[in-house]
Amino acid sequence: QVQLVESGGGLVQAGGSLRLSCAASGSMFRINAMGWYRQTPGKQRELVATITSGGRTNAADSVKGRFTISRDNAKNTVYLQMNSLKPEDTAVYYCKQEIATGLLFKDYWGQGTQVTVSS
């Protein structure tokens, strides 16, 4: 069974930095795209950044130039480096990985990690 475990969230002052990690474990054949999403109470989950298996990245306009997504395929891990954090970045951050345990890919989600940015 595949499991994603996130780490790295916490409380930081505005202008500070945090690095999130999300490691997949279990029986996997192949991992395709990876991504980070975030959600605040009463709002829909929104895309933060994604990275393809080939390393191509995409990010929301609100985080471009401040957040960087990367991956380590040998460790089945995706990272989100968050710099110049703002109070509006406060949210629960979720990772997602597209993983094939057989012939088909399926989306797997992490448990979420709280990021709180104080002003």
Side-chain angles (χ1 to χ4, degrees):
Q1 185 171 347
V2 174
Q3 188 174 19
L4 270 58
V5 178
E6 300 180 26
S7 61
L11 173 64
V12 64
Q13 287 189 332
S17 298
L18 284 173
R19 189 191 194 208
L20 306 182
S21 299
C22 170
S25 63
S27 178
M28 295 170 285
F29 177 63
R30 183 179 171 185
I31 302 177
N32 197 11
M34 299 177 175
W36 288 95
Y37 297 74
R38 65 188 182 187
Q39 189 170 22
T40 55
K43 293 189 176 181
Q44 287 191 334
R45 193 171 297 186
E46 63 176 8
L47 181 147
V48 176
T50 60
I51 183 167
T52 68
S53 57
R56 186 165 57 187
T57 62
N58 179 49
D61 288 341
S62 60
V63 306
K64 281 181 180 177
R66 300 188 298 122
F67 291 10
T68 301
I69 188 171
S70 61
R71 62 191 285 168
D72 184 334
N73 292 328
K75 296 182 178 180
N76 300 325
T77 299
V78 59
Y79 304 97
L80 185 68
Q81 178 66 45
M82 304 185 293
N83 299 328
S84 302
L85 282 160
K86 304 176 181 179
E88 52 262 45
D89 295 318
T90 296
V92 177
Y93 284 71
Y94 297 90
C95 66
K96 184 181 80 169
Q97 296 193 23
E98 297 175 4
I99 299 173
T101 58
L103 294 178
L104 299 178
F105 282 96
K106 176 183 174 182
D107 288 342
Y108 291 86
W109 290 88
Q111 80 280 9
T113 186
Q114 177 71 46
V115 171
T116 303
V117 184
S118 63
S119 57

